[in-house]
Amino acid sequence: METIRFDELELYPQILRGIKEMGFEEATPIQSKAIPVVLSGADVIGQAQTGTGKTAAFGVPVLQKVDPSNKKTQVIILSPTRELAIQVADELRKLSKYMHGVKVLPVYGGQEITKQIRSLKGGAQIIIGTPGRVMDHLRRKTIRCDYVDTIVLDEADEMLNMGFREDIETILEYIPQERQTILFSATMPKPILDITKKYQHDAVTIKVVKKELTVPSIDQYYYDVKRRDKVDVLTRLLDYYDPKLSLVFCNTKRMVDELAQELQGRGYFAEGLHGDMKQSQRDRVMKSFRNGKTDILIATDVAARGIDVDDVEAVFNYDIPQDDEYYVHRIGRTGRAGRCGRAFTFVKGKEVYKLKDIQRYCKTKILAQPIPSSDDVAQIKAEKVMEKIANIIEEEDLREMIDIIDRQVNESDYTAMDIAAAFLKQALGAGVESDTGAEYDFENTGAEEGMVRLFINIGKKQNVKPGDVLGAIAGESGMPGKLVGAIDMFDKYTFVEVPREYGHEVLDAMKNAKIKGKSVSVEPANQK
Ligand code: ADP
Ligand code: MG
């Protein structure tokens, strides 16, 4: 399908400037089709997959329509969850950055209502809210809709899934008849069409056809796995591919909880995410996933909707998705922004047929793949160690070490090969141990009271500055940068002090971290 450039549309230069600053090169297919129609003032039914840019598809024309000189509410956007409401508000704020006098305000359950009322009194032309909370405000008259001429139902299918149908209808009854009613959704089940029939007039349907949804550049594999073997296969694949961030999808909240516990029990940094969790818990989990403290996120389809993390390297369909379209949603979480990604699907018995459906529907190939054996996993771990070793051989001065080995070989019956093999064995053993949450020795690091001194195998010679070290530690571990203590840099290594209570977290977080693009190893300093 033809896409258009934003400057082909007759938009205010302020909006075009906002769009430009967001780095959008051209309109996505749904935006190309929908923006002109929304601008024309017609009611719209828009359907396109997650991640296709539906927010700007209604956001851009809605901004064009708003009167900045009138402080009254003019647009209400309904959104299924707090996360999505905030995301939409952020996007609209960015788009309207250069539109003087336009205010965008999210309102949602969980936030103190008195505080919201105060913000609302300040006046906002565009309100984005979850249906329950918006209804609440309409009843209290803290949101008035005398001037509302546009209502958007965003992610309509999710709102219905979450049981907001009645609230939505109540809200629609509040809004003046003379209005534009816009609905966007990834799927169009019948209850949504019922709403559109009842509340829209001569709506124009805009659909981006399914075949444009497939996500390219993702290797997709499936494994024939019995239910009871799934955890073992999952951990095998995690060890083998060692993805930086992984998303694991389950079909039920219960499975999410079970699997999270199971993986944690085996020493993986895994957390679950689903709709039954308190908002504060979800925020914590998401934060920890974003900064890489949690590298495995286990989620239901609905919970994953709000997730916007770019560098997910692997998606696991622990349970095969119930809906073909979900498969696309799920695997679309990886391979973003031109990065490569992998998707793994577990099937058992008859589920293979479902897999065939998915392949037909998504016009994609999902290849059968043998489960890596434990030898394969050991092999790949050894390769990683050998890579590091090669690096040391290239970079370091090993003369003293060579002398020691030489003496050892002369004085014992061991060959250099025996000794190298033993070191490799030790390195692999240590690797496995650290994966399962190693105990670190903080007793003799030579740090100040209450701190631990850490050794990092990178220094001035690699063009690293104290700021890089501080940035990496704070960034990876989530520990506030100001807590980082003394940083002593030498040519080839660096010592840095962190509060003792953060020692574990920092070491764990730095395990796969890079500083200035170089892999580093961080360990407690040893001053014995
Ligand atoms: P949807 O609602 O369809 O799931 P979003 O509106 O949340 O999708 O958009 C997904 C991501 O794509 C967001 O990060 C958004 O900023 C980005 N995006 C939207 N439009 C464009 C565009 N024209 N070019 C590049 N990125 C875009
Ligand atoms: Mg959306």
Side-chain angles (χ1 to χ4, degrees):
M1 108 139 246
E2 286 286 300
T3 48
I4 56 173
R5 294 193 322 272
F6 286 103
D7 57 15
E8 291 175 57
L9 298 159
E10 281 181 29
L11 296 170
Y12 293 134
Q14 292 91 328
I15 302 182
L16 286 174
R17 197 168 159 203
I19 293 171
K20 184 149 183 257
E21 203 168 290
M22 291 178 78
F24 297 175
E25 283 196 296
E26 55 178 19
T28 64
I30 186 73
Q31 290 165 357
S32 303
K33 283 189 177 178
I35 293 176
V37 184
V38 181
L39 280 174
S40 78
D43 283 357
V44 170
I45 303 171
Q47 181 180 4
Q49 285 302 303
T50 302
T52 51
K54 295 192 288 296
T55 314
F58 63 78
V60 165
V62 154
L63 284 172
Q64 176 85 11
K65 208 176 154 186
V66 162
D67 174 4
S69 63
N70 176 0
K71 298 294 165 216
K72 298 276 187 332
T73 306
Q74 298 166 41
V75 182
I76 293 180
I77 299 168
L78 298 181
S79 185
T81 63
R82 162 187 154 139
E83 283 100 342
L84 286 173
I86 293 174
Q87 261 181 40
V88 170
D90 282 347
E91 183 111 339
L92 288 184
R93 279 189 183 133
K94 284 184 201 151
L95 290 169
S96 62
K97 181 168 168 195
Y98 297 102
M99 291 180 77
H100 194 69
V102 172
K103 274 185 74 178
V104 176
L105 186 72
V107 297
Y108 39 80
Q111 194 188 36
E112 227 186 287
I113 195 147
T114 48
K115 212 170 127 195
Q116 268 173 16
I117 291 172
R118 223 175 309 134
S119 314
L120 284 165
K121 281 207 175 119
Q125 291 96 342
I126 304 177
I127 290 172
I128 300 132
T130 46
R133 188 48 73 101
V134 168
M135 198 175 63
D136 218 7
H137 282 297
L138 287 171
R139 291 211 167 116
R140 290 168 185 252
K141 297 198 166 44
T142 38
I143 296 180
R144 294 183 161 272
C145 33
D146 316 75
Y147 289 90
V148 173
D149 59 6
T150 312
I151 172 135
V152 182
L153 311 184
D154 187 26
E155 311 286 355
D157 51 355
E158 287 309 321
M159 290 203 282
L160 293 195
N161 284 347
M162 296 179 75
F164 282 133
R165 181 181 178 144
E166 275 183 29
D167 293 1
I168 292 171
E169 298 208 28
T170 309
I171 293 166
L172 285 165
E173 299 289 350
Y174 266 94
I175 315 281
Q177 284 294 320
E178 276 300 300
R179 64 164 190 242
Q180 185 179 16
T181 307
I182 302 164
L183 180 146
F184 274 89
S185 190
T187 59
M188 284 295 160
K190 182 157 179 305
I192 292 192
L193 296 174
D194 292 345
I195 289 190
T196 64
K197 277 205 200 92
K198 200 160 156 197
Y199 294 98
Q200 289 187 309
H201 300 284
D202 302 324
V204 180
T205 300
I206 296 159
K207 202 166 160 175
V208 171
V209 289
K210 285 174 173 180
K211 70 175 180 346
E212 287 174 272
L213 310 174
T214 350
V215 193
S217 88
I218 295 179
D219 295 329
Q220 300 161 60
Y221 304 110
Y222 79 88
Y223 300 87
D224 201 339
V225 193
K226 288 197 203 71
R227 200 184 178 90
R228 63 165 187 278
D229 294 334
K230 278 188 183 181
V231 182
D232 286 332
V233 174
L234 177 62
T235 54
R236 195 60 76 69
L237 292 171
L238 285 168
D239 292 345
Y240 187 77
Y241 288 102
D242 197 17
K244 196 166 153 230
L245 296 180
S246 314
L247 247 171
V248 182
F249 283 97
C250 300
N251 287 352
T252 63
K253 297 170 194 173
R254 215 175 115 196
M255 195 65 236
V256 168
D257 283 336
E258 273 176 37
L259 183 59
Q261 270 191 5
E262 182 79 33
L263 288 182
Q264 283 161 6
R266 295 182 186 212
Y268 291 87
F269 296 97
E271 299 246 35
L273 190 77
H274 59 63
D276 282 355
M277 290 162 61
K278 278 207 252 91
Q279 189 60 49
S280 56
Q281 283 176 305
R282 288 203 272 174
D283 288 347
R284 185 187 56 74
V285 168
M286 276 317 296
K287 186 164 168 234
S288 152
F289 189 56
R290 280 210 179 88
N291 67 25
K293 239 194 266 177
T294 295
D295 44 30
I296 304 161
L297 186 67
I298 306 157
T300 55
D301 292 284
V302 171
R305 267 283 173 102
I307 299 174
D308 192 9
V309 176
D310 269 340
D311 36 9
V312 172
E313 281 180 11
V315 166
F316 293 89
N317 294 309
Y318 193 79
D319 295 324
I320 191 164
Q322 283 147 334
D323 184 318
D324 294 349
E325 287 191 29
Y326 281 171
Y327 181 80
V328 183
H329 292 206
R330 288 179 177 189
I331 70 167
R333 302 308 175 142
T334 179
R336 287 206 175 176
R339 291 190 182 84
C340 66
R342 288 195 179 95
F344 305 97
T345 303
F346 294 176
V347 293
K348 55 175 196 294
K350 286 198 190 128
E351 287 177 347
V352 175
Y353 298 120
K354 248 185 176 170
L355 202 69
K356 291 226 169 81
D357 279 348
I358 291 175
Q359 298 190 61
R360 205 175 319 121
Y361 163 67
C362 302
K363 299 196 173 47
T364 187
K365 279 253 175 313
I366 308 173
L367 305 171
Q369 179 101 329
I371 298 157
S373 66
S374 49
D375 282 351
D376 294 336
V377 174
Q379 173 86 28
I380 202 141
K381 281 190 169 161
E383 277 168 20
K384 287 210 174 112
V385 172
M386 294 312 288
E387 258 170 46
K388 277 194 199 144
I389 295 296
N391 212 10
I392 295 175
I393 296 174
E394 294 288 328
E395 306 273 328
E396 313 268 328
D397 178 359
L398 295 176
R399 271 171 301 185
E400 263 178 61
M401 310 297 144
I402 290 172
D403 286 346
I404 296 174
I405 302 286
D406 206 24
R407 243 176 289 140
Q408 193 67 30
V409 170
N410 285 332
E411 288 167 13
S412 68
D413 294 337
Y414 308 135
T415 62
M417 190 69 91
D418 292 332
I419 295 173
F423 274 123
L424 178 58
K425 177 133 193 163
Q426 192 186 36
L428 287 174
V432 172
E433 206 180 308
S434 64
D435 274 346
T436 55
E439 281 305 307
Y440 299 108
D441 180 6
F442 288 160
E443 290 315 313
N444 297 295
T445 68
E448 261 189 67
E449 178 95 43
M451 306 287 277
V452 285
R453 193 169 166 86
L454 306 178
F455 169 88
I456 309 176
N457 67 339
I458 197 165
K460 286 187 212 159
K461 275 263 166 72
Q462 283 97 346
N463 251 328
V464 174
K465 306 238 153 41
D468 301 325
V469 174
L470 186 132
I473 288 184
E476 294 291 334
S477 70
M479 180 184 85
K482 61 174 189 277
L483 296 184
V484 174
I487 299 179
D488 295 326
M489 298 206 72
F490 298 87
D491 280 352
K492 289 191 175 164
Y493 51 86
T494 301
F495 290 107
V496 56
E497 294 194 6
V498 299
R500 197 176 166 123
E501 63 267 32
Y502 281 98
H504 256 100
E505 255 173 278
V506 170
L507 284 163
D508 287 339
M510 295 299 289
K511 234 178 246 162
N512 299 312
K514 290 187 170 170
I515 298 181
K516 281 247 170 138
K518 294 197 179 67
S519 296
V520 294
S521 125
V522 184
E523 51 194 80
N526 189 347
Q527 301 280 306
K528 258 185 263 186

